[in-house]
């Protein structure tokens, strides 16, 4: 069994905690007011909005060395909903990996709405989590946690693929905001 | 009923022709050897690989003025399968629109494998075609053709969203090539 720390108590943090719990794993769920509480998980999920990431890294970065760090952000310009705020040839995950060189940084969960994690389904399909990262062992560990929680997990490749995952997440958010898909639907994957 | 010209007789061109035919529309399907045959469709689908687009535009560009032009390409680096060959802040569709200023250029069909167009399904879901473009009437016309052929169609926004559609297409191709999804599956959309 794994022990996770989830930083962020919003709907995504809670949904990810719920899936991990279903798989029999333990979760330390920390909110903004828990800054003084040390991270105990070996897998740390950054379930905060992208603009809050810099602060999390500033406060907690040193304590994340050696750990698996999962970036779930969609770095949108939430004023225009028409672009990402990271450079076109980069990604939030790449920035976080550069800021946390001692951690094993993965991208995951940014292409799945919270409701599809909690339900375990996207329409008629089992919810699939796409993971990108450069550390195969870290990806395998995280995949094991969430498949045991009932989800499908696909290794989408190296951390370079975070750029495409963030494009998928961005597109899906624009579709939901424009009521083309619901917040309980979106992209599913048929094997 | 619409009359389409599809440039390209590969599996995507044939699949798109088959859906249009199901909807009762007429299709002129032209291959590489039909260079002397004039385009008769009001909707022209560029169903050729990205590297062949420049030639198509050089030979046929003038005759596409006033028409709806549908770009279905995934501009991958097919040697490395690790990047796109268009600039990170652009898209194949944006390049084609710049080269064909008198045409109404749309992006579509690059996120759906040929088999899912022919079958009309991605796993248990009806196949959804995502369309991006700046001309609402053109998008509506193309959507009508393919919904009448049994597919779901979602307006994904302005032509700027072609960048994200190309990221989805790229990601999906890498998943298929790496046997994470089959060529009869991939991304589906649950409303």
């Amino acid at each position: 069994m794994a022990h996770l720390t989830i930083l962020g108590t919003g709907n995504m943090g809670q949904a990810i905690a719920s899936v991990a719990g279903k798989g029999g794993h333990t979760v330390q769920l920390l909110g903004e007011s828990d800054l003084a509480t040390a991270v105990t998980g070996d897998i740390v999920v950054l379930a905060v909005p992208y603009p809050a990431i810099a602060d999390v890294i500033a406060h907690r970065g040193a304590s994340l060395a050696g750990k698996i760090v999962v970036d779930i952000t969609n770095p949108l310009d939430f004023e225009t909903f028409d672009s990402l705020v990271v450079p076109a040839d980069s990604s939030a995950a790449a920035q976080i990996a550069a800021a946390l060189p001692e951690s094993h940084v993965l991208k995951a969960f940014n292409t799945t709405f919270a409701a599809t994690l909690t339900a375990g389904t996207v329409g008629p399909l089992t919810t699939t989590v796409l993971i990108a990262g450069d550390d195969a062992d870290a990806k395998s560990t995280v995949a094991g946690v969430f498949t045991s929680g009932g989800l499908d997990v696909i290794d989408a490749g190296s951390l370079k693929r975070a750029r495409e995952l963030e494009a998928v997440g961005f597109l899906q958010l624009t579709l939901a905001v424009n009521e083309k898909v619901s917040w309980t639907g979106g992209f599913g994957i048929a094997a």
Side-chain angles (χ1 to χ4, degrees), chain A:
Chain A
M1 293 298 103
H3 179 54
L4 291 77
T5 295
I6 298 178
L7 300 177
T9 56
N11 61 351
M12 284 297 291
Q14 290 181 44
I16 293 167
S18 125
V19 178
K22 278 181 204 168
H25 307 280
T26 53
V27 175
Q28 176 192 38
L29 190 58
L30 297 179
E32 285 179 271
S33 57
D34 301 313
L35 266 183
T37 309
V39 162
T40 56
D42 304 307
I43 300 170
V44 181
V45 180
L46 307 182
V48 298
Y50 176 74
I53 289 286
D55 259 7
V56 169
I57 289 175
H59 283 101
R60 302 229 183 233
S63 72
L64 303 179
K67 295 181 187 291
I68 297 171
V69 173
V70 183
D71 163 36
I72 75 160
T73 62
N74 279 305
L76 265 71
D77 182 330
F78 284 103
E79 288 192 10
T80 66
F81 256 89
D82 196 38
S83 66
L84 296 177
V85 295
V86 292
D89 61 353
S90 185
S91 65
Q95 293 179 334
I96 292 167
L100 297 174
E102 306 295 319
S103 303
H104 311 288
V105 174
L106 308 180
K107 185 90 198 181
F109 295 107
N110 75 300
T111 66
T112 45
F113 290 141
T116 70
L117 294 172
T118 308
T121 53
V122 181
L125 294 165
T126 299
T127 301
T128 298
V129 176
L130 294 166
I131 304 189
D134 292 335
D135 185 316
D137 289 341
K139 286 193 283 192
S140 175
T141 299
V142 170
V145 168
F146 292 96
T147 52
S148 70
L151 306 184
D152 286 340
V153 178
I154 290 181
D155 178 353
S158 73
L159 199 65
K160 203 175 164 190
R161 284 294 82 71
R163 183 173 137 196
E164 283 71 43
L165 297 187
E166 292 177 13
V168 173
F170 169 27
L171 179 64
Q172 184 172 240
L173 282 165
T174 68
L175 295 177
V177 164
N178 290 297
E179 300 185 350
K180 308 290 186 181
V181 302
S182 77
W183 295 97
T184 58
F187 288 112
I189 295 182

